[in-house]
Amino acid sequence: MRPRDAAELLALAAIWGGSFLFLRLGAADFGPVALAGLRVLGASLFLLPILLQRGEWPALRRHWRAIAVVGVANSAIPFLCFAYAALAITGGLSAIFNATTPLWGVLIAWAWLKDRPGGWRLAGLAVGFAGVLWLAGDKADFRAGAGGTTTALAVGACLLATLMYGLAASLTKRYLTGVPPMALATGSQLSATVVLAPLMVWQWPAQLPGPGPWAAVAALALLCTGVAYILYFRLIAALGATHALGVTYLIPAFAMLWGGLFLGETVDATMVGACGVILAGTSLVTGLWRPPTLPRQGKPPARWS
């Protein structure tokens, strides 16, 4: 990996880890629906001129139906779910659950595309979901907190979001292979905007939020969605999809770091332990790590007498 690629990988992890901080800063004032709607609207306005400048509008127009479905599964629903979760749980905890995306992706590809995982990938699924059960069992609580929701519902929202990410991956593989990435990124934000805009108007906060929440919205839309997509696709082009997925393993660390620095969020032993288990499972599922195998014991070499 070139130093430039490594720097961009770290920058992307820091940006996406920061998205959970900005969700926490904006969710209470805007509400989950308005926050998610503004995020995709701002990202659309940022990405659309780039798409047009690159001459990829015809690709978006040709594949708009499939791109629209992917946009709902990959942006509208997950962004809404994570914004809802931000009302009740820390950004670091949401980021750990976000790391389960490859697990859902493999399960859905297995069930739908008949892409059966092999031995180590099956082991990775078992390990990863064991970590999910451990963390969810420790953190889920059905008593409503200050945000008006429960941690159990927040955990469920995070897992629904990652399930949607996994579904979007299979949809993209099935129907959008070969489509220019910028057409897919921009089109998905536009379709998510179409879906969320009416709900955003309906759920607009009665009192206009102050400068802080608006800054969080701008950061989510422009930095964590617009700029992040460009960085991610650059890394895929430079390193390949598998190595670019390495960002998944860095995001929880940055999310916990930003939450601790700016919001005083704490990290306990269960979060660290379960995060390690989940990341071990996802590394097996994605093929980024394989346990070492012992050499086979062969016959001793023949000796000349």
Side-chain angles (χ1 to χ4, degrees), residues 186-286:
T186 307
S188 65
Q189 298 310 300
L190 288 170
S191 67
T193 301
V194 170
V195 170
L196 290 177
L199 299 175
M200 177 176 66
V201 173
W202 177 46
Q203 290 289 310
W204 192 255
Q207 183 176 353
L208 193 65
W214 277 107
V217 166
L220 278 171
L222 304 180
L223 182 63
C224 300
T225 309
V227 173
Y229 266 126
I230 295 172
L231 274 176
Y232 184 55
F233 291 130
R234 279 168 58 95
L235 285 168
I236 289 176
L239 305 176
T242 300
H243 287 90
L245 274 175
V247 70
T248 303
Y249 308 99
L250 300 173
I251 291 172
F254 278 104
M256 288 186 279
L257 173 64
W258 302 143
L261 286 176
F262 296 104
L263 296 178
E265 295 178 351
T266 59
V267 179
D268 58 29
T270 300
M271 288 176 63
V272 174
C275 182
V277 172
I278 291 170
L279 293 182
T282 56
S283 66
L284 286 170
V285 162
T286 58

Side-chain angles (χ1 to χ4, degrees), residues 92-203:
L93 188 55
S94 291
I96 294 172
F97 285 117
N98 181 65
T100 65
T101 296
L103 304 179
W104 294 111
V106 169
L107 275 181
I108 292 171
W110 185 5
W112 180 26
L113 304 180
K114 309 306 178 186
D115 183 9
R116 188 181 187 279
W120 282 120
R121 296 181 78 197
L122 282 173
L125 285 174
V127 170
F129 280 115
V132 171
L133 291 174
W134 177 17
L135 188 59
D138 183 75
K139 300 301 179 184
D141 191 332
F142 289 93
R143 293 172 296 181
T149 187
T150 69
T151 57
L153 289 175
V155 168
C158 290
L159 294 177
L160 175 60
T162 53
L163 174 63
M164 289 294 102
Y165 283 147
L167 175 61
S170 287
L171 286 168
T172 302
K173 182 178 179 180
R174 178 68 176 82
Y175 297 108
L176 294 169
T177 299
V179 175
M182 190 56 64
L184 181 55
T186 307
S188 65
Q189 298 310 300
L190 288 170
S191 67
T193 301
V194 170
V195 170
L196 290 177
L199 299 175
M200 177 176 66
V201 173
W202 177 46
Q203 290 289 310

Side-chain angles (χ1 to χ4, degrees), residues 24 38 70 83 86 88 90 130 152 201 205 216 250 269 293 299:
R24 293 278 287 169
L38 288 170
V70 168
T90 67
V201 173
L250 300 173
T293 56
K299 294 181 180 180

